[in-house]
Amino acid sequence: MSLPPDQARYMDELVAGGGYASASEVVRAGLRALRERDAAVERWLRDEVAPVYDAMQADPGRALDADEVDAAMQAHHAARGA
């Protein structure tokens, strides 16, 4: 395996710091984290994005135009800043 110098240094620091026993362990942990992230994205797409897309396809009239979205975002940010 070949890594850019900054990533190799970081891996060495993780091992030297005692958090991992070897470079292989760091790589395995990184792959686990990627798998978990990918699974979370898949769940979000399936559970949140797809139903909204389906609802919009079934009833396009529920969509907001760009000016309505902009106004809602401005109001949201104004409320958070207050």
Side-chain angles (χ1 to χ4, degrees), residues 2 4 8 20-21 23-24 38 40 42 45 55 57 59-60 63-64 70 72 74 81:
S2 178
Y20 298 89
S24 292
D38 290 348
E42 288 297 322
L45 288 170
Q57 290 293 101
D59 182 10
L64 302 175
D70 184 51
Q74 298 261 351

Side-chain angles (χ1 to χ4, degrees), residues 49-64:
V49 175
V52 171
Y53 174 83
D54 292 341
M56 295 304 293
Q57 290 293 101
D59 182 10
R62 351 172 356 153
L64 302 175

Side-chain angles (χ1 to χ4, degrees), residues 23-77:
S24 292
E25 200 173 289
V26 174
V27 171
R28 284 191 299 273
L31 289 171
R32 276 192 303 276
L34 285 171
R35 183 178 288 161
E36 290 168 8
R37 186 206 59 193
D38 290 348
V41 168
E42 288 297 322
R43 279 191 305 276
W44 173 71
L45 288 170
R46 181 188 63 241
D47 298 343
E48 296 183 39
V49 175
V52 171
Y53 174 83
D54 292 341
M56 295 304 293
Q57 290 293 101
D59 182 10
R62 351 172 356 153
L64 302 175
D65 67 28
D67 291 333
E68 291 172 310
V69 171
D70 184 51
M73 289 175 60
Q74 298 261 351
H76 174 76
H77 288 292

